[in-house]
Amino acid sequence: MCGIVGYIGNEQAAPILLEGLSKLEYRGYDSAGVAVCDGNSVAIEKAVGKLLNLSDKISGGDALKGTKGIGHTRWATHGKPTKANAHPHFSERFIIVHNGIIENEEALRHHYLKDTEFLSDTDTEVIAHLLQKFTDSGETTPVAIQHIISELEGSYALAIIDKNEPDLLYAVKNKSPLLIGHGDDFNMIGSDAMAMISKTSQFYEINDKEYAILSCKGVEIYTGYGQKIERDTYKAELDVSDTEKGTYPHYMLKEIEEQPAVIRRILKEYSKNTGELEIDTKIIEDIRACDKIYIVACGTSYHAGIVGKQLIEHIANVPTEACIASEFVYNMPLLSKKPMFIFISQSGETADCRAVLVKVKEMGFKTLTITNVNGSTLSREADHTLLLYAGPEIAVASTKAYTAQIAVLALLASQIKNTININLNYELSKVSNVIEALCTDRDKYSLLARDYLTGARNCFYIGRALDYYVCLEASLKLKEISYIQTEGFAAGELKHGTIALIENNTPVISIISQENINLNTRSNIKEVKSRGAHVLTISTKSLSSQKDNIIVNDVHEMLTPLVMVVPAQYLAYYAALQKGCDIDKPRNLAKSVTVE
Ligand code: F6R
């Protein structure tokens, strides 16, 4: 979703802003803009569509002179993706960029800004005019910022230029992600560390309802009531090269093929010197003390969560429920007496998850976040964190984070209580090798995608038990990047309605890795075949039959989702490639979903 960058220092700001915005492109956006300040004059440029359009317009930044500026990539929420709605927005004195949604903007317009003329349909412009209004009435800029913090309801990360303060830049945060980057003679604002990592690896956290005042030399952080806060910087363990595509044509392909290394890294990071796996005992104690685990997540992370439920119940014997965050928050089930909550989120910033986290913390329950981003909001606000160690995931379609989440959940389950005596070190190493072997078959997946998917209008994934959970993830992957309407079904449910949709040549992809229901799924395959379906089967070696299209080497039966998903990720990738889709940035989607 929207990305924010700000810079104040001695170098030309515009190229730095463009570079920062390019690192935030992965979040998804439909327009971009910058404001650069040269003394008291501020130039604003915006463009709809790709960042390149903006960059071309300002000659890669050369056309805008000045050493202070703010930039934005916008993912439309209020108003269409037009130039008028693109950020920055401004009033006479203030120029701002904003990520988030102001829920009481109508009331604020009505109360304070009845006579104001607006140039856009955005809630952001309201903030620029409020700052103007409050400073016009005699407030200093910091006091006006405190005033807006007390007035605004909703989520906001803001970077603000005050034309009357050429040597300062302001940042404000509530619920939306925002970090301050710190350098020797410059300071920066960014939606995440990646936007600033080529300039600095030192960051200040900024919490909800706090604001910061940046100059070239320093950063001052204040509460929403104006009390100064002493806070140290922290160092982000991010390698700039992790964010590059290298020789890969797309981040998604790179990230699919990083999966074996990610599994090995998880084993390494969670190993003691003795080689034994371990997880912080405080986490394990809290989980052992609870009577039920609630896993809360969205999208692909939810799909990892439902696999996690199976793993925790089967390996550790603890009752577990997996819940969709956006449903859970407003429709909470009857909770057990002593629940513990596990949030799964690649970005650690997903607003739907955060809404649940805030609620269950108020209720006094213990929380754990499993995330890829150290220092992310969900990580900071939960009692405990387990990291995925997957490296930055840039492609919007999640691949390596899904497998990392399942691997960490398996590890967690086995540390709570290993009732089935699974040797995870051995089994996950094997998984890593099997995925590596799968990654050598690109041509095959490309041909299968061409034969089964590229010209298809719709598609069905079918499977049972853990295979069904993989079907849900596989279908999300295919639909989100190739736009082929795809559904994942429990194979046994087909006959209760969905089979009516099967026509001549409808692609049906079946997944078979579970011994106890293998024959049942095979029967379902016969049922759809006899109604004309074009069936592609992905099976494990021990359960395969001669005509199956993709045969995957065997791994522990509880860990099959880690390997069965990989061919499905490739099929989605190649179908999208052959259809000419924008693989890493599918339409309408954002990587980091920071609004509810
Ligand atoms: C799909 C995908 C999304 C995310 C979801 C949650 O490929 O990436 O469904 O899984 O938006 O995001 P995180 O994991 O960052 O909370």
Side-chain angles (χ1 to χ4, degrees):
M1 298 213 142
C2 306
I4 286 181
V5 188
Y7 172 84
I8 181 161
N10 300 317
E11 292 179 61
Q12 288 301 312
I16 296 172
L17 297 176
L18 287 175
E19 142 94 17
L21 291 178
S22 74
K23 295 285 188 253
L24 295 174
E25 276 188 289
Y26 77 97
R27 298 163 76 91
Y29 69 104
D30 37 51
S31 58
V34 289
V36 174
C37 188
D38 194 8
N40 285 341
S41 79
V42 181
I44 298 177
E45 286 292 351
K46 311 176 186 188
V48 172
K50 296 282 169 209
L51 187 59
L52 199 60
N53 301 346
L54 175 68
S55 178
D56 285 349
K57 219 170 158 186
I58 57 173
S59 314
D62 289 348
L64 295 186
K65 299 292 173 214
T67 58
K68 173 173 106 171
I70 55 179
H72 190 263
T73 44
R74 172 173 188 256
W75 193 83
T77 54
H78 283 60
K80 291 199 167 118
T82 59
K83 191 173 163 195
N85 287 335
H87 299 212
H89 292 285
F90 54 89
S91 54
E92 204 184 319
R93 182 169 152 185
F94 295 95
I95 299 105
I96 73 172
V97 291
H98 166 215
N99 171 16
I101 293 180
I102 304 305
E103 283 154 13
N104 60 338
E105 58 132 355
E106 272 308 322
L108 292 169
R109 277 178 204 257
H110 191 72
H111 189 69
Y112 289 108
L113 305 169
K114 268 198 194 122
D115 302 325
T116 305
E117 204 184 311
F118 288 90
L119 302 176
S120 75
D121 307 320
T122 65
D123 48 350
T124 306
E125 205 184 341
V126 171
I127 307 173
H129 287 295
L130 279 181
L131 286 169
Q132 184 75 42
K133 177 116 193 155
F134 297 155
T135 48
D136 282 350
S137 72
E139 293 178 3
T140 61
T141 301
V143 171
I145 287 176
Q146 292 161 33
H147 198 159
I148 60 160
I149 291 175
S150 72
E151 292 280 357
L152 297 179
E153 285 169 20
S155 53
Y156 48 89
L158 302 168
I160 304 171
I161 291 175
D162 173 356
K163 279 192 193 163
N164 291 1
E165 298 276 13
D167 300 328
L168 301 177
L169 200 56
Y170 296 88
V172 193
K173 176 190 175 328
N174 187 44
K175 294 188 188 167
S176 296
L178 195 76
L179 281 178
I180 307 290
H182 178 56
D184 283 344
D185 51 5
F186 70 90
N187 285 295
M188 293 186 74
I189 301 168
S191 294
D192 64 31
M194 245 170 337
M196 303 176 270
I197 199 72
S198 63
K199 302 289 301 169
T200 181
S201 58
Q202 294 294 328
F203 297 96
Y204 289 104
E205 274 174 18
I206 167 157
N207 295 326
D208 284 353
K209 301 210 169 189
E210 289 178 357
Y211 67 95
I213 305 178
L214 289 75
S215 63
C216 293
K217 285 281 165 224
V219 175
E220 292 178 354
I221 302 173
Y222 296 88
T223 67
Y225 300 104
Q227 276 124 7
K228 198 162 172 200
I229 300 169
E230 293 306 326
R231 187 168 294 153
D232 291 333
T233 56
Y234 72 92
K235 190 170 182 325
E237 305 293 340
L238 248 184
D239 187 339
V240 187
S241 62
D242 285 349
T243 64
E244 308 292 341
K245 253 194 318 227
T247 54
Y248 282 92
H250 297 98
Y251 281 109
M252 182 176 177
L253 189 60
K254 174 176 178 254
E255 289 160 7
I256 291 173
E257 300 194 349
E258 280 172 353
Q259 291 177 108
V262 169
I263 305 277
R264 286 196 284 267
R265 171 128 194 241
I266 288 171
L267 287 175
K268 182 169 157 267
E269 296 289 345
Y270 287 103
S271 287
K272 301 191 237 188
N273 292 342
T274 55
E276 252 177 282
L277 294 171
E278 74 168 343
I279 278 188
D280 185 351
T281 48
K282 288 193 208 92
I283 299 177
I284 301 300
E285 277 163 19
D286 276 350
I287 296 184
R288 285 188 186 147
C290 83
D291 62 357
K292 184 165 179 180
I293 294 173
Y294 291 81
I295 295 177
V296 179
C298 310
T300 289
S301 297
Y302 167 72
H303 294 155
I306 46 182
V307 174
K309 167 199 154 69
Q310 292 288 108
L311 291 169
I312 296 173
E313 291 197 331
H314 198 83
I315 300 175
N317 207 13
V318 178
T320 305
E321 200 171 316
C323 312
I324 294 172
S326 56
E327 283 295 306
F328 190 93
V329 66
Y330 300 112
N331 188 16
M332 213 179 262
L334 193 59
L335 297 178
S336 66
K337 284 206 174 77
K338 213 161 176 249
M340 163 117 184
F341 285 81
I342 300 182
F343 295 86
I344 308 180
S345 174
Q346 187 283 132
S347 62
E349 300 294 349
T350 302
D352 290 321
C353 288
R354 183 163 189 248
V356 181
L357 176 64
V358 169
K359 226 173 195 172
V360 299
K361 270 178 70 174
E362 274 166 17
M363 294 162 91
F365 300 131
K366 290 278 182 200
T367 53
L368 159 69
T369 291
I370 298 180
T371 182
N372 202 22
V373 184
N374 199 7
S376 57
T377 305
L378 292 173
S379 155
R380 290 203 308 271
E381 295 184 357
D383 296 307
H384 310 285
T385 296
L386 289 176
L387 291 176
L388 297 176
Y389 297 109
E393 191 180 64
I394 311 279
V396 165
S398 182
T399 52
K400 61 178 178 172
Y402 171 79
T403 39
Q405 287 161 348
I406 294 175
V408 170
L409 283 160
L411 185 58
L412 180 65
S414 71
Q415 296 287 305
I416 301 168
K417 197 162 162 208
N418 195 345
T419 59
I420 62 167
N421 270 333
I422 182 171
N423 179 345
L424 260 190
N425 222 330
Y426 170 77
E427 298 296 350
L428 284 177
S429 302
K430 193 162 159 192
V431 162
S432 163
N433 294 340
V434 171
I435 300 179
E436 204 153 277
L438 285 169
C439 292
T440 59
D441 264 343
R442 279 194 201 173
D443 292 347
K444 181 176 186 171
Y445 309 125
S446 169
L447 288 176
L448 287 170
R450 190 198 61 196
D451 292 348
Y452 282 81
L453 298 174
T454 305
R457 189 168 52 90
N458 57 359
C459 169
F460 299 93
Y461 265 97
I462 60 167
R464 288 170 180 246
L466 280 176
D467 293 335
Y468 165 49
Y469 298 158
V470 176
C471 287
L472 294 178
E473 172 54 13
S475 76
L476 178 60
K477 226 57 339 164
L478 183 57
K479 76 178 93 164
E480 71 179 323
I481 61 166
S482 75
Y483 316 137
I484 298 168
Q485 186 176 2
T486 314
E487 299 308 330
F489 281 108
E493 273 292 290
L494 280 170
K495 57 186 176 295
H496 298 291
T498 310
I499 201 163
L501 293 171
I502 304 294
E503 295 174 346
N504 228 3
N505 270 330
T506 303
V508 174
I509 306 178
S510 58
I511 297 188
I512 301 181
S513 76
Q514 302 296 298
E515 195 174 358
N516 63 333
I517 42 74
N518 150 43
L519 296 178
N520 306 59
T521 308
R522 293 271 176 208
S523 301
N524 301 133
I525 292 175
K526 283 190 191 134
E527 283 159 17
V528 290
K529 259 192 181 159
S530 65
R531 281 149 183 97
H534 194 199
V535 177
L536 186 164
T537 299
I538 308 172
S539 60
T540 46
K541 204 168 191 169
S542 56
L543 302 177
S544 62
S545 91
Q546 225 180 9
K547 288 200 178 136
D548 291 350
N549 307 74
I550 301 172
I551 297 173
V552 180
N553 285 333
D554 288 295
V555 297
H556 191 287
E557 212 178 32
M558 287 309 296
L559 301 178
T560 55
L562 291 167
V563 293
M564 302 312 273
V565 77
V566 176
Q569 295 169 339
Y570 273 113
L571 289 173
Y573 174 81
Y574 282 110
L577 186 71
Q578 287 157 16
K579 288 186 71 184
C581 301
D582 191 349
I583 294 181
D584 285 335
K585 295 182 211 107
R587 69 181 178 214
N588 305 339
L589 290 178
K591 181 73 181 162
S592 189
V593 186
T594 51
V595 294
E596 271 187 62

